[in-house]
Amino acid sequence: MFTLPRLLRPIFSRQRAWLGELCRIAARLLSDAYAEAAPGARPGLVLFVQTFGDLANFNPHLHVLAADGVFGAEGTFIALPPVPEALLAEGFRRAVLAFLVKERAITDELRAKMLGWRYCGGFSAHNQVRVAAEDREGRMKLASYMIRAPMSLEKMTYDPATGTVIYRSKPLSQAGRAKGGGIDSPIRADGRRPGCRARSPSTSALPACNAPSRRDSGYGRRIPAAG
């Protein structure tokens, strides 16, 4: 999965056609990385964009279904180690910022500033989810997650006293509801959304964007070092 910083998301809300360029950038990054490890071979990739976040807010990001390796010219499959997340995140950051400068959506000054931000400046890449070849149920669950609808009935509850529909970031157990966990987005009966209120929100840390050892993986020679 590839994500964008909040600062840039409104640009893609106004220019939806550019979402396709995000897919092309990610595909090039993965294809180039695999080509370094196995010259002449080709990866198996399925990419698509989701534009909603956990609370149905606008949050464009990419999902990728990728084979754990490449296919040689004769059709044989060559298993490869995962491409390091830090290399993907840094390559994605640089390519997206270069594209936005080219399209005059941001200035060179802003690009230089964002390249200097720590932790890849809100860009990230995640490739820790693995599904074994014989795990058909796992493949179905992963594919279903990637094409899920923006909103889930399991996350909704109705408060008749206030006429408010509460949409939570994650479905809660009965015990969780009693403790008031999760992040709520209230929607009044008339369809208006007065705002969001947080209840014990969880925190997560972005991975540091320090390139790992390239000698171990064989990846990364085509992706410029951060700095």
Side-chain angles (χ1 to χ4, degrees):
M1 183 171 70
F2 293 85
T3 66
L4 295 168
R6 292 183 180 181
L7 179 64
L8 301 181
R9 294 172 192 172
I11 297 175
F12 291 91
S13 177
R14 297 187 296 268
Q15 300 287 348
R16 297 298 181 101
W18 292 355
L19 294 171
E21 182 62 25
L22 297 180
C23 283
R24 286 185 282 273
I25 289 172
R28 285 196 299 270
L29 285 173
L30 290 165
S31 297
D32 289 348
Y34 283 129
E36 292 180 12
R42 302 188 64 176
L45 304 172
V46 178
L47 302 94
F48 60 93
V49 179
Q50 279 187 350
T51 56
F52 56 89
D54 213 22
L55 290 172
N57 55 309
F58 185 75
N59 178 16
H61 55 282
L62 305 182
H63 284 288
V64 184
L65 278 175
D68 282 340
V70 292
F71 296 89
E74 68 283 1
T76 58
F77 182 74
I78 306 168
L80 293 173
V83 182
E85 292 178 333
L87 292 179
L88 292 176
E90 178 61 19
F92 191 60
R93 170 167 70 163
R94 290 179 176 273
V96 170
L97 292 177
F99 168 75
L100 293 177
V101 168
K102 177 183 175 182
E103 296 294 331
R104 298 184 178 181
I106 64 172
T107 64
D108 275 310
E109 291 75 14
L110 179 57
R111 172 173 62 174
K113 184 179 295 185
M114 294 188 72
L115 286 174
W117 289 357
R118 295 188 302 167
Y119 310 119
C120 277
F123 291 91
S124 70
H126 175 75
N127 64 357
Q128 298 301 310
V129 178
R130 292 285 182 274
V131 180
E134 67 279 3
D135 187 1
R136 185 176 184 277
E137 183 179 356
R139 292 197 302 273
M140 292 293 292
K141 287 182 178 180
L142 180 59
S144 296
Y145 172 80
M146 295 171 70
I147 62 172
R148 71 193 189 281
M151 301 186 75
S152 169
L153 292 177
E154 294 179 352
K155 298 180 181 179
M156 292 183 183
T157 58
Y158 177 66
D159 184 355
T162 61
T164 301
V165 175
I166 304 297
Y167 190 80
R168 290 185 167 85
S169 60
K170 294 181 180 179
L172 295 178
S173 64
Q174 186 173 358
R177 293 175 189 274
K179 293 180 180 178
I183 300 177
D184 295 349
S185 178
I187 303 174
R188 295 201 300 263
D190 59 7
R192 295 184 179 181
R193 184 172 174 171
C196 297
R197 62 181 186 274
R199 295 182 179 176
S200 304
S202 59
T203 59
S204 60
L206 290 175
C209 197
N210 298 321
S213 172
R214 297 176 183 178
R215 291 177 298 175
D216 296 338
S217 63
Y219 298 123
R221 289 182 289 275
R222 298 187 188 183
I223 300 176

